[in-house]
Amino acid sequence: MGTETVRAQATDEVTERRREQRGWYFYDWACSVYSTSVLTVFLGPYLTAVAKHAADADGFVHPLGIPVRAGSFFAYAVSASVILSIFVMPMAGAAADRTGRKKPLLALCAYLGAAATTGMFFLDGDRYLLGGVLLIVANASVAVSMVLYNSYLPQIAPPEERDTVSSRGWAFGYAAGSLMLVVNLVLYSAHDSFGVSESTAVRICLASAGIWWGAFTLVPLKRLRDRPTAAAGQAPGHGWRQLAATVRDMRGKPLTLAFLLAYLVYNDGIQTVISQASVYGSEELGLSQSTLIVAVLLVQVLAVGGALGMGRLARTYGAKRTILGSLVAWTVTLGAGYFLPAGAPVWFFVLAAGIGLVLGGSQALSRSLFSHLVPSGKEAEYFSAYEMSDRGMSWLGPLLFGLTYQLTGSYRDAIISLVAFFVIGFVLLARVPVRQAVHDAGNPVPDRI
């Protein structure tokens, strides 16, 4: 084979890889609008208001006959959605590795979640149970879809590109969230001009996130391609047995397990802040919905630059040290949030800016760092365990947040309790020798990690 032919083949491979990477970015673009508009901004305060409307004279609702303080219902529903995803994610990862066909499973999860989100348009009156069910379905769907989505990363990006590719994916997601939030802000702020009530405007914003999610999922489904894996063609087994086998396999790679434990802890704090910040702002600080939208929009805009900027820092200082620095910033920012005065939007915006600068980078670099710890051919299997740590195990934070409020009646006490996740996560991550972990996984060790 001539030199020119080899060069042409190499060029074609790079071109195809870039095309696939661009398609991969678009799933972040598609589903991040749900995380931003629904989970972070609108659904928490709105579902809390619906639950309070349905509450008894003591302020309690009674799903399945269980007395629940109305202000805790949203946090409990988030926790329940995560527990459900724990049961589904191992089966999805095992099925993807066994069949080698991730795209049909990704499509199923994406469109189930998009349909549930679109159905939130019908959440009105005292239908808090409907809101809880739709939240559980949508949140579990996005978690399972991310198992499949993340497992493409080692296949579409060589080791030296993963920090950059992962950071760009997060940046795409935050850019989409920002764009949709601008539209949401216009509709919500000027709902009278559009001839709709405030409640209807919120429900339109919720449903539009589902439509966006479904529409833009078509791009990755067109550009990503399935590849045979080492597990392809094996006899089907129960997803939990596959997860148990994955954990047993990881026991031979204890440093990979050590990283997952650290990530489980600090990411639980991150996910809880994302889902509960708007409730804290509206219920404890007395801020308007428009103020919350602007604050989250600020987070989205700064998170784009933060994800890309921390990707550059990782190239200089390594992903591990950059993540550790972000955890320090999370701790300081969250601690400051406890002392925010009520009715002071400016200080809430300052807090939002701090969160935005570290949010995207800490998540993107954690994903790319883990991709180096995955043995070849076991991407979906290992990323199923990762997603269990990412979203599937992030039930303790919302549960702690809800319980703290239920027992104390103070959202400030609830928010400060989350600092422990970042402090403990920092200590655990600092103890992981990542270069040795990459070597033990059988992967080439990058010059800087």
Side-chain angles (χ1 to χ4, degrees):
M1 184 180 294
T3 302
E4 292 301 322
T5 302
V6 172
R7 288 177 178 172
Q9 288 181 344
T11 300
D12 290 343
E13 289 176 1
V14 170
T15 300
E16 176 60 26
R17 187 168 75 243
R18 295 285 185 265
R19 182 178 185 275
E20 202 167 4
Q21 287 172 358
R22 287 191 292 270
W24 185 80
Y25 299 150
F26 265 91
Y27 192 68
D28 257 319
W29 175 274
C31 71
S32 292
V33 167
Y34 162 80
S35 299
T36 302
S37 290
V38 177
L39 196 61
T40 305
V41 177
F42 287 107
L43 190 57
Y46 186 74
L47 184 56
T48 299
V50 172
K52 287 183 175 181
H53 185 262
D56 59 21
D58 296 321
F60 284 80
V61 290
H62 300 269
L64 303 178
I66 302 171
V68 172
R69 191 184 291 269
S72 296
F73 180 74
F74 173 70
Y76 289 154
V78 172
S79 187
S81 73
V82 176
I83 292 172
L84 172 62
S85 68
I86 290 174
F87 289 94
V88 181
M89 285 191 291
M91 292 184 282
D97 281 335
R98 187 180 69 248
T99 64
R101 301 185 65 207
K102 300 174 187 175
K103 283 205 295 184
L105 292 171
L106 177 62
L108 175 63
C109 295
Y111 285 107
L112 181 61
T117 305
T118 305
M120 291 178 186
F121 178 79
F122 301 102
L123 175 59
D124 60 357
D126 58 359
R127 297 178 179 176
Y128 76 97
L129 277 177
L130 173 64
V133 170
L134 293 176
L135 167 60
I136 289 170
V137 172
N139 222 33
S141 296
V142 75
V144 176
S145 73
M146 292 301 290
V147 171
L148 306 164
Y149 169 69
N150 286 336
S151 69
Y152 277 102
L153 180 58
Q155 298 177 336
I156 65 173
E160 66 275 8
E161 292 183 2
R162 287 181 198 164
D163 286 346
T164 299
V165 171
S166 183
S167 296
R168 285 177 180 171
W170 281 108
F172 261 63
Y174 287 118
S178 300
L179 178 60
M180 182 57 81
L181 274 181
V182 170
V183 177
N184 292 160
L185 180 60
V186 171
L187 174 61
Y188 180 82
S189 300
H191 60 84
D192 288 334
S193 300
F194 291 101
V196 298
S197 67
E198 180 179 313
S199 172
T200 301
V202 171
R203 292 187 289 115
I204 291 173
C205 291
L206 293 171
S208 65
I211 296 171
W212 178 289
W213 185 358
F216 284 104
T217 295
L218 293 172
V219 179
L221 292 180
K222 180 176 178 61
R223 292 197 173 187
L224 291 173
R225 60 185 179 89
D226 286 328
R227 297 164 173 82
T229 67
Q234 292 181 1
H238 193 277
W240 276 98
R241 290 200 296 272
Q242 178 64 67
L243 179 63
T246 302
V247 173
R248 286 196 298 271
D249 187 65
M250 283 186 179
R251 289 174 63 184
K253 301 170 183 64
L255 298 182
T256 298
L257 272 177
F259 172 81
L260 273 179
L261 177 61
Y263 181 68
L264 183 155
V265 174
Y266 70 75
N267 185 67
D268 203 343
I270 292 174
Q271 295 298 326
T272 307
V273 172
I274 291 173
S275 66
Q276 304 302 322
S278 61
V279 176
Y280 180 69
S282 63
E283 298 295 322
E284 183 68 34
L285 304 182
L287 302 176
S288 68
Q289 187 73 68
S290 296
T291 298
L292 297 176
I293 296 173
V294 173
V296 175
L297 180 59
L298 179 63
V299 170
Q300 299 299 302
V301 171
L302 291 178
V304 175
L308 299 176
M310 287 181 65
R312 296 190 188 96
L313 287 175
R315 291 198 293 271
T316 302
Y317 299 104
K320 177 185 173 180
R321 282 195 284 181
T322 306
I323 295 170
L324 288 173
S326 76
L327 296 182
V328 173
W330 270 108
T331 302
V332 172
T333 303
L334 199 60
Y338 175 81
F339 297 100
L340 284 184
V346 173
W347 289 110
F348 192 72
F349 293 150
V350 172
L351 183 71
I355 291 175
L357 290 173
V358 296
L359 176 59
S362 55
Q363 293 177 312
L365 292 178
S366 296
R367 177 171 63 185
S368 62
L369 180 56
F370 181 72
S371 73
H372 293 283
L373 312 183
V374 177
S376 178
K378 296 185 176 182
E379 291 84 5
E381 178 185 334
Y382 269 59
F383 266 105
S384 176
Y386 174 85
E387 197 67 20
M388 292 277 285
S389 298
D390 185 356
R391 297 172 190 263
M393 294 304 291
S394 297
W395 57 269
L396 181 58
L399 180 61
L400 176 63
F401 189 94
L403 282 173
T404 303
Y405 176 74
Q406 177 140 344
L407 294 174
T408 68
S410 170
Y411 283 107
R412 292 187 187 272
D413 292 340
I415 203 73
I416 199 63
S417 67
L418 303 179
V419 168
F421 290 99
F422 298 102
V423 174
I424 296 172
F426 179 97
V427 173
L428 293 175
L429 179 59
R431 294 169 58 88
V432 179
V434 292
R435 298 184 67 84
Q436 185 63 45
V438 175
H439 179 269
D440 291 351
N443 295 322
V445 182
D447 293 335
R448 193 171 298 278
I449 192 170

